[in-house]
Amino acid sequence: MTHTPLQQPASSSDVGTSRPPVAKRVPAERTHHGDTFVDHYEWLRDKESEEVVAHLKAENAYQEAITAHQEPLREAIFQEIKGRTKETDLSVPNRKDGWWYFSRSIEGKEYGIQCRVRAQNTGNPVADWTPPAVEAGVEIPGEEVLLDGNVEAEGKPFFSVGGTAVTIDGNLYAYAVDNAGDERFTLRIKDLRTGELLPDVIENVFYGVSFSPDGTRIFYTVVDDSWRPYQVKSHVLGTPVTDDEVIYQEDDAAMWLGFELSSDRRHLVLGIGCSEYSETRLLRFDDPGAGLSTVISRNERVLYEAEPFLLEGPDGQETDRILITHNRNAVNSMVSLVDPAELSKPLAEQAWTTVVEHSDDVRVNGAGVTATHLVVSIRKDTIERVQVMSLAGLGTAAQQAPVEPAFDEELYTAGVGGSDYEAPVIRLGYTSYFTPSRIYDFVLPTPEQPAGELLLRKESPVLGGYDGSDYVATREWAEAADGTRVPLSVLRHRAVKQDSTAAGLVYGYGSYELSMDPGFGIARLSLLDRGVVFVIAHIRGGGELGRHWYEDGKKLSKKNTFTDFIAATDWLAQSGWVAPDRIAALGGSAGGLLMGAVANLAPEKYAAVVAQVPFVDPLTSILDPELPLSALEWEEWGNPITDPAVYEYMKSYTPYENVREVAYPKIAAVTSFNDTRVLYVEPAKWVQELRNKTTGSEPILMKIEMDGGHGGASGRYVQWRERAWDYAFIADSLGATELLPGAGLK
């Protein structure tokens, strides 16, 4: 029996009222493994339909009516974000070959401006790699504008750059632009000597572009009909696009394809893989006729990355070596060194040299090289860290101990931000919950300076009287039903009292081994300043505690992700900080699936739920391999097409199919019409079913950006307003609309 909503329903044409739009019911049967599901709202998938578009606009009109009273709060939060952001700002110049590249942002303009200035080569390595001082509003002599996003975006509904590349000689600049939000880009090439565009225009490319070292070719990726990158192609400048060569095509629908140049730019490196195993293929630029060579076949079921480079031996001779970061007999991965000649042997007979050993406590995320050092990214105690060691003696008894840049906070994130192969420094990004983003150059260790040296290049300014000491971040632990301890990051304003009266928000993701690492967020301060205790739940399915943490939250263990989040909510409710009836939940994409699942499992624990671009109908999507990216999801959730157990398990938690007759809290599903990763139809169907079944009177809303993609609309001011909408909805739902005494902009 379908419950009758308390409010009198409105038709899709009933725009401008406070009654929710009601989509017509058109039964569509989906049968798998003897189970038939009747979906009454599948017709909403037809985005070309005028009726569908009218319905979506009616949804927007309804949410605007219901949330109209939040507009002053939205405006206040937007002004707080704007007031704390240095709108006229610039990035730290990053050197590549003979140029320093940087971006400028200007007050009142939505998009960044990409610039460069010529570098010096005086023979003093540290001086030559010290970025020039760039001032806002002050042009450096010789400064060139490569791409002004504001000019490119003029008259367009959307603007996003999906990749840029510059030839080694600095003469040609390639950039890929998306004007729809659907992540299909148009690639153009500019001659920086004249400012003129070349006639070469390539449509429908995917992320990432690179020039060949000689600058005569450009490499790019193409997606198939299901939005999976499956071809890497090569375009010879000045020739018809129809003549472009397919370097490699991946036909396995469950495998993702990408490419990059090796650090020393001697190879094109193709990465093919899923979340469980991979394959790397190499193309030598000095011998392109040799074709692609495979490092380790996917048939070995090894998850790995490979970096070919030249290693200087004790005799001064350089020899080809491949650095492999892999999970072969190493669940948390390790780093090995191999002679390419070994690759012709069966894997079991190959001689590999261990460079970074496996550890149950340390997850190795990746490794790369500069001309002089190995750079390794690891995760220990949930924290992302960087270690370096000299290439001299690598893989021998003379191998040196790793050196790790030291920081003085407990909860932080440090990652490699890119560096030139020949540079004596590596660029590091650093942030914590209350330390704005910092850019460091780490001078690589030498015998004279064995610890290296951290050089602070910039800390992103925060205006409005921001003082990090006004806030507190602590590491806490929730206990799941099976006894697993789940790490939490608990953020609050120092003025909040532990008297069980505050409002609380629990945020989570918990999929694809992605970690919710410490990071500064200006918008989040607006909630903290209103007394909201913000909890980031590092639940299973993420990568915070190593590979096991991920594997314990995927496929037939996926429900651990949901119950961990509820355990985090219970911890907060019992912490003494908040009133248990003043807790909201927030998550996006796969975290939106999480929102739908916990709303079904424990609706009484939340006053409000905000699900951003939510993956709430995953079974329908993954059962159809023709839908965007669905086949790639089998390694994360299992394959319900071929496996009845996976089908049954997914059916038991997929949010859309498990909506039940209970009193749901306030729910806002926030989505975009042109999202290619989680189609708008999923939240559109979900909100209809929630309204059908809820026994409560709280509003169920859908907010849809008609010109946006998976990341929402483009343009920083528009994005700030989107975040202000989400946070105002949460703060209003929790009764946390007033600033704490002394908090807010100064």
Side-chain angles (χ1 to χ4, degrees), residues 23-237:
K24 67 182 181 183
R25 293 165 65 86
V26 181
E29 291 190 354
R30 186 197 73 204
T31 301
H32 289 272
H33 307 295
D35 175 74
T36 297
F37 172 65
V38 180
D39 189 340
H40 293 283
Y41 302 114
E42 179 63 14
W43 68 273
L44 289 169
R45 189 176 300 278
D46 182 7
K47 67 185 295 186
E48 303 299 323
S49 161
E50 291 183 6
E51 187 176 4
V52 169
V53 171
H55 174 77
L56 298 176
K57 289 180 176 177
E59 286 283 10
N60 264 347
Y62 173 61
Q63 68 84 5
E64 287 169 4
I66 292 296
T67 66
H69 69 285
Q70 296 170 10
E71 177 55 33
L73 180 57
R74 289 198 288 265
E75 183 63 24
I77 293 175
F78 172 78
Q79 292 299 339
E80 289 162 17
I81 297 170
K82 191 169 182 285
R84 287 187 167 113
T85 303
K86 187 173 182 182
E87 296 179 68
T88 298
D89 201 7
L90 39 91
S91 65
V92 178
N94 190 50
R95 181 166 176 172
K96 196 70 178 172
D97 300 312
W99 297 83
W100 289 101
Y101 294 89
F102 58 98
S103 66
R104 293 184 180 272
S105 57
I106 297 175
E107 183 174 358
K109 293 187 180 293
E110 294 275 12
Y111 302 100
I113 302 169
Q114 307 306 314
C115 308
R116 74 174 183 177
V117 66
R118 194 174 288 280
Q120 302 298 313
N121 290 306
T122 66
N124 181 329
V126 174
D128 289 344
W129 290 90
T130 298
V134 185
E135 297 179 49
V138 180
E139 188 173 310
I140 301 175
E143 180 176 332
E144 301 177 10
V145 172
L146 307 178
L147 186 71
D148 186 336
N150 304 287
V151 174
E152 291 286 328
E154 195 169 337
K156 306 293 197 307
F158 185 91
F159 174 76
S160 177
V161 177
T164 62
V166 187
T167 51
I168 292 176
D169 61 17
N171 291 336
L172 299 180
Y173 176 76
Y175 61 100
V177 169
D178 169 16
N179 288 130
D182 60 4
E183 298 180 280
R184 288 185 188 255
F185 300 88
T186 298
L187 178 62
R188 295 181 173 87
I189 301 166
K190 181 190 286 189
D191 188 327
L192 296 176
R193 294 164 295 189
T194 64
E196 299 297 319
L197 289 175
L198 301 190
D200 309 68
V201 177
I202 308 174
E203 302 284 355
N204 294 322
V205 310
F206 197 56
Y207 292 101
V209 294
S210 293
F211 282 106
S212 59
D214 63 7
T216 63
R217 289 185 293 166
I218 191 160
F219 301 98
Y220 61 95
T221 311
V222 178
V223 295
D224 62 13
D225 290 339
S226 66
W227 233 266
R228 176 183 65 94
Y230 83 117
Q231 286 183 336
V232 170
K233 300 181 81 171
S234 168
H235 172 73
V236 177
L237 301 187

Side-chain angles (χ1 to χ4, degrees), residues 445-506:
T446 62
E448 297 75 30
Q449 196 172 38
E453 183 183 7
L454 268 177
L455 302 173
L456 178 63
R457 299 304 192 190
K458 181 181 181 181
E459 178 171 305
S460 294
V462 182
L463 308 180
Y466 172 73
D467 184 347
S469 66
D470 288 339
Y471 307 91
V472 179
T474 62
R475 167 54 44 81
E476 309 291 347
W477 299 83
E479 186 170 323
D482 62 2
T484 299
R485 297 177 76 234
V486 180
L488 313 174
S489 295
V490 181
L491 317 181
R492 59 181 171 84
H493 195 285
R494 192 174 291 279
V496 174
K497 295 181 173 61
Q498 197 167 3
D499 59 5
S500 299
T501 65
L505 173 64
V506 187

Side-chain angles (χ1 to χ4, degrees), residues 332-577:
N332 273 337
S333 295
M334 59 188 292
V335 182
S336 299
L337 199 60
V338 63
D339 184 332
E342 294 288 312
L343 300 178
S344 60
K345 304 176 185 175
L347 182 60
E349 298 174 16
Q350 294 175 18
W352 291 16
T353 301
T354 298
V355 172
V356 178
E357 294 183 345
H358 175 259
S359 168
D360 289 331
D361 301 320
V362 178
R363 175 78 164 104
V364 178
N365 291 328
V369 294
T370 72
T372 58
H373 284 76
L374 170 70
V375 183
V376 184
S377 171
I378 65 167
R379 183 178 298 279
K380 184 178 181 183
D381 301 327
T382 78
I383 301 300
E384 185 90 12
R385 307 161 187 261
V386 175
Q387 295 184 339
V388 300
M389 65 179 77
S390 172
L391 293 182
L394 195 70
T396 71
Q399 178 174 306
Q400 298 175 13
V403 175
E404 184 175 314
F407 301 100
D408 56 7
E409 293 184 271
E410 177 192 7
L411 303 178
Y412 68 88
T413 301
V416 179
S419 61
D420 193 273
Y421 180 68
E422 299 291 345
V425 301
I426 57 171
R427 178 66 52 86
L428 298 179
Y430 175 91
T431 184
S432 75
Y433 289 119
F434 299 119
T435 300
S437 173
R438 290 176 179 170
I439 300 297
Y440 288 96
D441 277 339
F442 181 61
V443 181
L444 293 164
T446 62
E448 297 75 30
Q449 196 172 38
E453 183 183 7
L454 268 177
L455 302 173
L456 178 63
R457 299 304 192 190
K458 181 181 181 181
E459 178 171 305
S460 294
V462 182
L463 308 180
Y466 172 73
D467 184 347
S469 66
D470 288 339
Y471 307 91
V472 179
T474 62
R475 167 54 44 81
E476 309 291 347
W477 299 83
E479 186 170 323
D482 62 2
T484 299
R485 297 177 76 234
V486 180
L488 313 174
S489 295
V490 181
L491 317 181
R492 59 181 171 84
H493 195 285
R494 192 174 291 279
V496 174
K497 295 181 173 61
Q498 197 167 3
D499 59 5
S500 299
T501 65
L505 173 64
V506 187
Y507 171 82
Y509 185 76
S511 292
Y512 304 106
E513 203 180 357
L514 293 178
S515 299
M516 299 298 102
D517 289 324
F520 184 75
I522 281 180
R524 190 171 57 218
L525 299 176
S526 291
L527 285 180
L528 299 177
D529 284 352
R530 288 169 172 79
V532 177
V533 178
F534 198 118
V535 174
I536 296 148
H538 305 285
I539 49 186
R540 281 176 281 187
E544 286 89 343
L545 292 175
R547 183 73 179 184
H548 283 305
W549 197 249
Y550 167 51
E551 292 179 344
D552 287 347
K554 66 182 292 196
K555 289 191 173 178
L556 296 179
S557 297
K558 187 63 205 172
K559 289 181 184 177
N560 286 334
T561 302
F562 315 140
T563 53
D564 282 2
F565 189 89
I566 292 170
T569 305
D570 290 341
W571 177 91
L572 180 60
Q574 298 157 15
S575 67
W577 290 109

